[in-house]
């Protein structure tokens, strides 16, 4: 084989590998456009995108609604009446009490993680506090001092391994949803899991 052909082949392979690496890197940095689109498609409530990073909000919706299962513990009841997938019905989250907390877990009750009406902060937490909750389970409300300073039901030991980018996306999404008030989960209502 002639040296010019070998050089051209090597250059072509190197250029192709560079484009693949750059493409994967760009998708990772942008939050993966397909997950962002899916996040918007599955968001169960209207989103306020004014002044917010659209890509982070979409990715946050994808993480919250397709991966983390936040509505299972933070929506009371989880599903809208007639839309409980565990009963063979088409799935629809309960938009009225979506992520507003109120689900009992023994001595604990899930927190309202919708934006505070005054500050717009999810669960009234700054991003730094929210990241602390996700990474270390810190209970800033000290709601159950008999159990110590850490949240006992939230799966923060799993969430602590998320990237900062994913935690930023979740926070951005929670800032974009409407404020809601807890519903009633005391009985096994139709919308309960």
């Amino acid at each position: 084989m002639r040296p010019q052909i070998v050089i051209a082949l090597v250059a072509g392979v190197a250029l192709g590998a560079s484009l693949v690496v750059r493409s994967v890197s760009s998708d990772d940095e942008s939050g993966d456009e397909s997950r962002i689109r899916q996040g918007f498609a599955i968001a169960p409530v209207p989103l306020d995108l004014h002044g917010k990073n659209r890509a982070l909000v979409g990715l946050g919706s994808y993480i919250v609604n397709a991966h983390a299962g936040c509505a299972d513990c933070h929506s009371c009841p989880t599903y809208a009446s007639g839309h409980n997938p565990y009963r063979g019905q088409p799935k629809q989250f309960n938009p009225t009490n979506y992520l507003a907390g109120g689900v009992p877990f023994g001595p604990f009750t899930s927190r309202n993680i919708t934006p505070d009406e005054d500050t717009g902060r999810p669960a009234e937490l700054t991003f730094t506090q929210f990241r602390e909750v996700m990474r270390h389970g810190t209970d800033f409300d000290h709601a159950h001092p008999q159990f110590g300073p850490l949240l006992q039901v939230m799966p923060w030991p799993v969430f602590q391994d998320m990237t900062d980018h994913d935690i930023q996306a979740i926070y951005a999404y929670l800032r974009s949803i409407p404020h809601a008030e807890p519903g009633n989960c005391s009985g096994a209502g139709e919308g309960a899991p």
Side-chain angles (χ1 to χ4, degrees):
M1 200 180 275
R2 296 183 0 189
Q4 295 90 347
I5 294 174
V6 171
I7 291 171
L9 284 173
V10 169
V13 168
L15 177 61
S18 171
L19 291 174
V20 168
V21 168
R22 199 170 319 141
S23 174
V24 168
S25 177
S26 294
D27 278 349
D28 289 345
E29 291 171 8
S30 71
D32 186 359
E33 188 59 36
S34 66
R35 293 188 304 159
I36 293 167
R37 278 192 307 274
Q38 180 68 2
F40 282 114
I42 64 175
V45 293
L47 302 175
D48 173 10
L49 297 175
H50 183 73
K52 299 181 180 76
N53 180 314
R54 181 187 181 285
L56 281 178
V57 171
L59 179 60
S61 174
Y62 181 75
I63 295 167
V64 166
N65 296 306
H67 282 283
C70 300
D72 290 341
C73 296
H74 289 280
S75 296
C76 184
T78 304
Y79 300 103
S81 181
H83 293 278
N84 186 333
Y86 292 105
R87 296 196 174 137
Q89 301 164 345
K91 179 180 85 173
Q92 179 185 332
F93 286 118
N94 165 15
T96 303
N97 309 109
Y98 177 69
L99 300 182
V103 180
F105 295 94
F108 310 103
T109 301
S110 66
R111 311 275 171 93
N112 185 336
I113 58 173
T114 65
D116 175 67
E117 291 180 295
D118 295 327
T119 66
R121 296 177 181 161
E124 299 181 20
L125 299 172
T126 65
F127 173 72
T128 301
Q129 292 170 321
F130 183 77
R131 185 177 55 213
E132 177 74 16
V133 169
M134 297 292 280
R135 294 253 186 262
H136 306 289
T138 303
D139 181 2
F140 286 101
D141 293 336
H142 306 289
H144 302 282
Q146 68 274 30
F147 294 101
L150 302 176
L151 296 168
Q152 297 297 301
V153 177
M154 183 181 154
W156 59 266
V158 174
F159 296 155
Q160 71 183 188
D161 294 325
M162 289 182 167
T163 66
D164 276 347
H165 185 70
D166 286 350
I167 293 172
Q168 288 171 336
I170 294 167
Y171 190 79
Y173 173 68
L174 294 176
R175 287 187 61 235
S176 74
I177 64 174
H179 174 79
E181 292 297 323
N184 182 2
C185 291
S186 58
E190 186 172 334

